[in-house]
Amino acid sequence: MAQLLKSAQGGERLELSCPKSMPQASTFLWNRKMLLQLNCRGFALAQHMQPEPSKYSHAPVLEHKTFMQPEQPLYAHHPGRFAYLRDLATGEIFSAPHEPARIEPDKFVFSAGRNDAEWRVLKNSIAVRMSVSLPLDDVAELWTIEVRNEADVEREIDLFPCFSIGYMSWMNQSASYSEELGGIVARSITPYQKVQDYPHIKTLKDCTVLLHQQQPRAWEACRDAFEGEGGIQRPDGVMKGELNNGDAIYETPIATLQYRLKLKPGESREHRFVFAPVHDDEQASLLRKKYLLNDGFESAQQDVAAFHEKNQGCLEISTPDGDLDNFVNNWLNRQVFYHGDTNRLSTDPQTRNYLQDAMGMVYIKPTHSRAAILRTLSQQKEDGALPEGVVLAAGGELKYINQIPHTDHSVWLPITLESYLDETGDTSLLKESVEGNGECSTVLERTTHAMRWLINNCDHRGLSLIAQGDWCDPLNMVGHKGTGVSGWLTIATVHALKLWARITKINGHEKIAAEMDIAADKFTAAAQAHLWDGDWFARGISDNGTAFGVSRDKQGKIWLNPQSWALMSGVATPAQQQKIMTAIHEHLETPFGPMVLAPSYTAMQEHIGRVTQKHPGTSENGAVYNHAGMFCIYSLYLNNENDKAFSELRRIVPGPGDEHCVQRGQFPVFIPNYYRGAVKQFPRTAGRSSQLFNTGACSWLYRAIIEQLFGLCGTAEGLSICPQLPSHWDSALVTRQFRGATINIQMRRDASVDKTTIIVDDQTISDNIVRNIEAGQYYNVNVLLK
């Protein structure tokens, strides 16, 4: 059987050789103004910012505007980018990449690159190559479609590029071909009711254009006229061989062009297109001049490649696990950078997401992380709490989930600060003044204020109040009356306080450190007194006094996060640590990683909230929620459980091998936010990927690989080297970028040593810290492991 998945171009591309084995497989491209998720079969999801996320390629019916959803359903008329091909001699048709005609190809390749995506399809000796990339700053898709005659006779072929526009507006929509602009222009007006909305509405990019480089033979702008009786799979316009040059007059638009190609044996023809939202014809004309004249595509691709080359991350590895190497070196750093670079295409990211994404950026672009910390603190509330979300633009506002009170946001501040300070050594940040709420105070003062808010956010027992949610947003009915508490947040607060105590002590603020340590001890005592259930810690106690996430519960009896953070924070005693790890193994472990809770809820629990209404095994209701899984992995490494940690890590990362990926349906170019859980309740769908690449898991995974698996963690003095390789690895090669220096590290097991021995440029050092590192220099390090 042919290999389904393979790397190409030194790992910088990943290729899939069948459109049916993993029909949900996808990759994504982005710039700071837009996002494009591309399915292997040709479906596409696109959003751009103006300033809120908007679409320019819509469903064929009125659709609800929402953020990107997990397990997005795909259907015949789902928005996509397609090309139909028709052999004039035989009348036979097929489509590329695979949709909408769904004709079995002779050969198929879906190839994801770091900055582009490409499909190569062969049918009846007609070869089609479709590729797309995004420019660095403009909202536009740059498409190339090349057709090649692989037969030994001349062929006459009709090419029909077909780009979905869909139902744009119930208020006003139309489309027609513009000779002047050179393409199809679809126009609409975003519906509105309030007069005060009009000034904003008139600024929107409510037009969608498909601009061509070569003049087409014909076109069609009306979807119904194009499809006729044959529908999207066998459209009349293609089957009859001649488009009608039609327009859409308050009808659903489509952008379809027709080219007739006469190709000698081996001859090919390339066509280029720009698909984009625009405000008016002038913007469309500028896009044409910029990208379809001269070498516009090549210039754009060079700019994007240069930009991403500067933001590659700080780690390159070579280990006995080649699939892991490829994922870490080429894809994980890319996903981490996407989160920090775009803020998940949100104008008001949740504070917890914003800070954890900034934590990941510490290892790629620490100046970004520094700015994110300062921006967050500038919006701190007067009582010390961090905001529900961070507003990124002047005049912006908190929306949707950020209007719901959650009590965990301050926990993430010292975690991000620890990463930043360890990686950069930039302690000047603590002295930086931050304006906010009419006063100016330092990062040190504001962070201490946030920690004191956490300390005061507790009930009479010393347990942390939850309000309408913590890290788990849908725990919305645990504490909405004001008395419910979060077991996880109580334990996570211990971790946050201890981190801040360590940071302040190192920087000479012993009084603050002592205050934090005393408070951490009080929260630890409260957790032990009220949350320990005999084998694990409870998830919380509701307003009505009912503990949940405890052994007597039939559903949701054990939750992963309290256990992971009890290991991470030191709340668990040594005896409890063993019980917790046993419980995780027995109740939560799956072939795909640990479930966030088990068993999954199957009915509403009104003292807990809407998490119990989510389908069993999805999202926070018992999925292998990879963000939570990473907390578990991180805590296992902190407790020197190297093999257990690596085993769980390897289950979260897609692969190795085709079967592993096919079962999940996950193309291994990103970590999804979850895999389906409820493995005992719904085994048929267990492991299925959400296909959603927005997740805090990637930052934690990158950090765990850098600082724990390979043990390369910054300190005030230099780079600490304490590898935690799995026992079945005998060696590893690592290149670490650190504070402007390049450090090449060879790790190997050596029976002649009785402890880890580190040799820097032929000099054995007395401890595990490489000191006096200078920017611009290269260092060679050998690490001998017993």
Side-chain angles (χ1 to χ4, degrees):
M1 183 178 176
Q3 186 178 3
L4 182 64
L5 295 165
K6 69 175 184 178
S7 296
Q9 295 183 12
E12 292 191 0
R13 305 195 73 85
L14 189 69
E15 299 188 338
L16 173 68
S17 62
C18 176
K20 298 190 293 184
S21 297
M22 297 170 59
Q24 304 291 325
S26 66
T27 186
F28 67 97
L29 305 173
W30 83 91
N31 62 36
R32 290 175 183 169
K33 297 178 181 178
M34 69 175 296
L35 172 68
L36 178 63
Q37 185 171 16
L38 297 152
N39 170 267
C40 66
R41 296 163 69 98
F43 295 127
L45 288 168
Q47 291 187 338
H48 69 110
M49 306 297 287
Q50 55 172 353
E52 297 299 327
S54 302
K55 292 184 177 181
Y56 52 94
S57 179
H58 308 262
V61 295
L62 186 65
E63 59 182 341
H64 178 64
K65 290 187 177 181
T66 181
F67 53 86
M68 296 187 70
Q69 298 291 347
E71 301 193 52
Q72 181 79 33
L74 303 175
Y75 49 92
H77 276 94
H78 191 282
R81 319 289 186 259
F82 315 113
Y84 297 88
L85 292 103
R86 180 175 181 270
D87 188 328
L88 268 66
T90 65
E92 293 181 341
I93 75 160
F94 71 97
S95 62
H98 185 68
E99 299 289 344
R102 302 179 181 176
I103 303 295
E104 183 79 18
D106 298 326
K107 291 183 180 179
F108 173 90
V109 175
F110 170 49
S111 179
R114 291 176 59 85
N115 306 321
D116 70 291
E118 181 179 274
W119 295 260
R120 301 190 296 275
V121 181
L122 178 68
K123 181 65 178 178
N124 297 334
S125 298
I126 301 173
V128 183
R129 179 180 65 86
M130 296 179 66
S131 65
V132 60
S133 60
L134 305 182
L136 189 59
D137 296 309
D138 288 324
V139 179
E141 303 173 22
L142 310 183
W143 283 89
T144 299
I145 302 178
E146 181 184 26
V147 181
R148 182 180 180 86
N149 178 15
E150 298 284 358
D152 56 6
V153 297
E154 185 173 272
R155 308 283 289 277
E156 195 167 12
I157 300 162
D158 272 345
L159 166 67
F160 299 88
C162 180
F163 286 55
S164 305
I165 297 177
Y167 192 96
M168 303 176 77
S169 168
W170 58 259
M171 187 170 165
N172 192 325
Q173 62 174 5
S174 63
S176 60
Y177 182 81
S178 169
E179 292 279 359
E180 181 181 358
L181 294 175
I184 289 176
V185 182
R187 306 178 192 276
S188 70
I189 297 174
T190 296
Y192 70 102
Q193 302 289 345
K194 299 176 182 177
V195 171
Q196 56 266 37
D197 290 340
Y198 174 68
H200 173 65
I201 292 293
K202 69 179 183 179
T203 68
L204 298 180
K205 293 183 176 182
D206 270 347
C207 302
T208 300
V209 297
L210 177 64
L211 306 175
H212 56 70
Q213 192 173 53
Q214 293 94 345
Q215 181 70 28
R217 173 188 178 90
W219 61 84
E220 182 57 68
C222 178
R223 194 202 72 181
D224 290 344
F226 172 66
E227 292 186 15
E229 292 297 313
I232 193 68
Q233 291 184 319
R234 303 290 187 276
D236 285 3
V238 173
M239 301 305 293
K240 293 177 180 177
E242 198 72 44
L243 298 183
N244 293 328
N245 295 348
D247 54 14
I249 304 173
Y250 196 60
E251 297 163 298
T252 303
I254 197 169
T256 306
L257 305 174
Q258 180 178 2
Y259 295 91
R260 183 153 292 173
L261 312 176
K262 282 189 176 182
L263 299 175
K264 297 177 181 178
E267 186 181 4
S268 63
R269 200 76 50 80
E270 180 183 279
H271 295 266
R272 292 182 173 183
F273 308 93
V274 173
F275 188 56
V278 297
H279 178 257
D280 52 27
D281 288 4
E282 182 180 0
Q283 285 190 0
S285 180
L286 290 173
L287 288 176
R288 160 172 285 284
K289 292 176 183 177
K290 188 172 184 179
Y291 297 114
L292 292 177
L293 300 180
N294 301 319
D295 297 323
F297 275 34
E298 287 79 6
S299 295
Q301 290 160 1
Q302 290 169 9
D303 290 344
V304 170
F307 174 75
H308 286 286
E309 185 67 28
K310 297 177 182 178
N311 299 287
Q312 288 274 37
C314 69
L315 192 74
E316 185 172 347
I317 65 174
S318 177
T319 75
D321 190 335
D323 289 323
L324 181 65
D325 296 348
N326 183 46
F327 183 73
V328 172
N329 294 340
N330 295 292
W331 304 109
L332 178 58
N333 50 2
R334 177 180 183 267
Q335 187 180 5
V336 172
F337 182 64
Y338 151 76
H339 279 75
D341 190 44
T342 68
N343 302 302
R344 310 189 190 195
L345 259 71
S346 171
T347 58
D348 63 327
Q350 278 188 285
T351 301
R352 82 170 69 91
N353 293 343
Y354 188 61
L355 286 173
Q356 288 175 94
D357 294 348
M359 181 186 77
M361 285 291 274
V362 161
Y363 308 101
I364 299 176
K365 193 173 183 179
T367 53
H368 175 98
S369 305
R370 193 182 202 275
I373 291 167
L374 294 173
R375 183 189 292 271
T376 302
L377 287 173
S378 73
Q379 298 177 33
Q380 185 176 26
K381 300 176 184 178
E382 289 186 13
D383 63 2
L386 295 188
E388 295 296 333
V390 179
V391 177
L392 301 181
E397 60 182 8
L398 298 180
K399 301 174 294 298
Y400 190 59
I401 194 69
N402 290 335
Q403 296 176 342
I404 309 300
H406 300 79
T407 54
D408 65 301
H409 296 299
S410 296
V411 160
W412 309 104
L413 179 57
I415 292 171
T416 303
L417 277 167
E418 179 194 39
S419 294
Y420 177 80
L421 295 171
D422 285 350
E423 184 68 9
T424 65
D426 175 23
T427 57
S428 68
L429 174 63
L430 299 175
K431 302 174 184 177
E432 186 94 6
S433 293
V434 181
E435 294 270 359
N437 283 323
E439 63 178 57
C440 184
S441 51
T442 66
V443 169
L444 176 76
E445 292 166 338
R446 287 185 174 273
T447 305
T448 301
H449 196 23
M451 294 304 97
R452 287 171 178 158
W453 183 88
L454 278 175
I455 293 169
N456 293 324
N457 178 54
C458 64
D459 71 355
H460 63 282
R461 294 164 294 196
L463 303 175
S464 297
L465 296 169
I466 191 173
Q468 293 184 43
D470 55 19
W471 174 89
C472 184
D473 292 320
L475 280 176
N476 63 323
M477 296 177 74
V478 174
H480 68 106
K481 295 179 181 178
T483 59
V485 297
S486 166
W488 166 76
L489 182 56
T490 301
I491 295 167
T493 294
V494 174
H495 183 62
L497 295 174
K498 285 184 175 181
L499 288 183
W500 190 234
R502 182 180 76 84
I503 292 169
T504 51
K505 186 174 183 179
I506 289 172
N507 288 277
H509 301 279
E510 289 83 359
K511 187 176 180 180
I512 295 174
E515 176 190 353
M516 298 298 119
D517 281 333
I518 290 170
D521 289 343
K522 289 181 179 179
F523 278 95
T524 298
Q528 289 288 354
H530 302 288
L531 299 174
W532 180 248
D533 190 50
D535 290 305
W536 58 78
F537 286 93
R539 183 58 177 87
I541 304 172
S542 299
D543 283 323
N544 63 8
T546 302
F548 64 98
V550 293
S551 57
R552 68 170 178 268
D553 292 338
K554 292 182 179 180
Q555 297 180 344
K557 68 190 301 178
I558 178 171
W559 292 59
L560 181 61
N561 274 0
Q563 321 323 319
S564 302
W565 288 71
L567 297 175
M568 190 188 305
S569 64
V571 165
T573 66
Q576 289 172 335
Q577 290 173 9
Q578 293 305 312
K579 287 188 174 185
I580 284 172
M581 286 188 282
T582 298
I584 291 173
H585 175 73
E586 290 181 355
H587 297 285
L588 299 174
E589 196 168 285
T590 79
F592 321 106
M595 294 181 290
V596 71
L597 64 83
S600 295
Y601 295 99
T602 58
M604 175 61 164
Q605 303 290 317
E606 292 186 355
H607 67 291
I608 296 175
R610 63 185 179 89
V611 64
T612 65
Q613 294 181 293
K614 294 195 173 187
H615 194 282
T618 68
S619 297
E620 298 94 337
N621 188 15
V624 177
Y625 207 87
N626 288 324
H627 196 177
M630 280 312 309
F631 298 150
C632 179
I633 290 164
Y634 190 86
S635 69
L636 289 171
Y637 274 121
L638 287 180
N639 285 272
N640 298 311
E641 295 286 347
N642 301 2
D643 284 346
K644 287 182 179 179
F646 184 80
S647 176
E648 296 294 354
L649 184 153
R650 204 58 191 85
R651 293 176 191 187
I652 283 178
V653 176
D658 293 350
E659 183 178 352
H660 188 281
C661 294
V662 169
Q663 186 173 6
R664 302 172 189 238
Q666 175 62 39
F667 197 45
V669 295
F670 61 85
I671 293 286
N673 79 322
Y674 73 73
Y675 303 111
R676 291 270 195 104
V679 293
K680 294 180 180 179
Q681 294 159 286
F682 298 99
R684 180 177 65 84
T685 55
R688 184 179 294 175
S689 170
S690 69
Q691 301 296 335
L692 188 61
F693 44 82
N694 285 343
T695 171
C698 60
S699 288
W700 282 88
L701 176 58
Y702 201 44
R703 182 183 183 185
I705 289 172
I706 295 165
E707 295 187 352
Q708 295 178 318
L709 174 58
F710 295 107
L712 304 174
C713 183
T715 71
E717 298 174 88
L719 183 67
S720 172
I721 302 180
C722 297
Q724 293 182 272
L725 304 185
S727 59
H728 63 280
W729 283 8
D730 290 328
S731 63
L733 296 175
V734 182
T735 298
R736 174 76 153 93
Q737 306 297 327
F738 182 71
R739 298 182 187 174
T742 300
I743 305 174
N744 298 308
I745 305 163
Q746 180 175 351
M747 302 176 181
R748 61 183 174 88
R749 301 198 186 275
D750 190 323
S752 68
V753 300
D754 58 4
K755 66 176 184 178
T756 298
T757 302
I758 300 173
I759 304 166
V760 181
D761 293 336
D762 299 324
Q763 298 292 319
T764 301
I765 61 177
S766 58
D767 57 13
N768 67 325
I769 298 177
V770 181
R771 295 175 172 81
N772 301 316
I773 295 173
E774 297 181 13
Q777 297 299 306
Y778 290 78
Y779 300 87
N780 294 307
V781 178
N782 282 283
V783 182
L784 307 180
L785 305 171
K786 66 177 183 178

